[in-house]
Amino acid sequence: MSKTFLIVAAALALGALLALAQPATGDRPLVPYPDGYRAWRHVGSVVNEATDKNRATTPHGTIHHLYANDLALEGLRTGAFPEGAVFVADWFSLKEKYPGGFEEGARLRLDVMVRDARFAATGGWGFDQFAGDSITARNVAPGAAPKQCFECHTRASARGYVFTRPPL
Ligand code: HEC
């Protein structure tokens, strides 16, 4: 067996190993699940009435709570969001507690925005949505965030693509 053959074979084997080590999603950066967000600062809640589109699943409408981590709070104060800033919108259906009174029902989804320069196509924010209570199932398909999330958030482009303006 020639030396060249051995070197080529070793290189091929190494290449195969490296290929196996790549995550299945390629090099698409993933927005991490925001562990512990319920202990972050609550920066607002919004109630949305039922619409013709969702009345069958959420007849009393929805509520979502907004949370900001410390770096996101810093960004709200200074106007410049540092890497690692995270906002969360935690969505629930509303269910009737007593006539005229409503409380949180099932969790519908969790919207996340993380400040990360790798997400250049969406203004330096990674957008993703976790389905229901899942910490792994995502509702935003690879490449879909610009249309599904970012396009609307450009309405807040003058404020770093962040809508929420809580009193701080
Ligand atoms: C039709 C417009 C629209 C679309 C589409 C949209 N958002 Fe938002 N988003 C808003 C508005 C308006 C707010 C402010 C809170 C509120 O009123 O619900 C907001 C708030 C947020 C927040 C809290 C930080 C902030 O900007 O106030 C996060 C996190 C978020 N959205 C993530 C997402 C993700 C992830 C998607 C896509 C799956 C998405 N959004 C799609 C309009 C939109």
Side-chain angles (χ1 to χ4, degrees):
M1 220 179 284
S2 81
K3 221 175 182 177
T4 321
F5 174 83
L6 281 177
I7 289 168
V8 170
L12 284 174
L14 187 66
L17 273 176
L18 285 175
L20 277 178
Q22 293 293 319
T25 48
D27 58 2
R28 171 196 178 211
L30 280 183
V31 172
Y33 181 83
D35 282 322
Y37 68 90
R38 290 194 122 188
W40 299 353
R41 177 84 70 86
H42 171 239
V43 288
S45 293
V46 180
V47 170
N48 292 109
E49 292 176 326
T51 63
D52 290 343
K53 234 173 95 187
N54 64 20
R55 203 176 309 278
T57 45
T58 52
H60 301 298
T62 62
I63 185 166
H64 55 279
H65 307 295
L66 302 158
Y67 298 91
N69 71 359
D70 286 343
L71 291 170
L73 289 172
E74 186 187 318
L76 288 171
R77 274 186 219 106
T78 63
F81 292 96
E83 290 284 291
V86 184
F87 287 99
V88 166
D90 194 8
W91 289 74
F92 298 85
S93 64
L94 281 173
K95 72 168 198 243
E96 195 163 28
K97 190 171 185 187
Y98 44 77
F102 301 89
E103 65 181 353
E104 277 176 16
R107 175 173 285 110
L108 299 169
R109 57 185 174 276
L110 193 71
D111 282 330
V112 184
M113 278 170 73
V114 56
R115 191 79 186 146
D116 180 335
R118 290 177 302 167
F119 296 94
T122 45
W125 288 98
F127 287 82
D128 212 337
Q129 186 179 91
F130 293 86
D133 279 322
S134 177
I135 63 166
T136 52
R138 295 162 190 267
N139 289 336
V140 181
K147 273 241 156 295
Q148 202 175 330
C149 309
F150 182 61
E151 208 172 89
C152 184
H153 274 252
T154 58
R155 290 186 212 163
S157 58
R159 305 191 318 241
Y161 308 107
V162 174
F163 284 102
T164 301
R165 291 279 113 174
L168 291 168

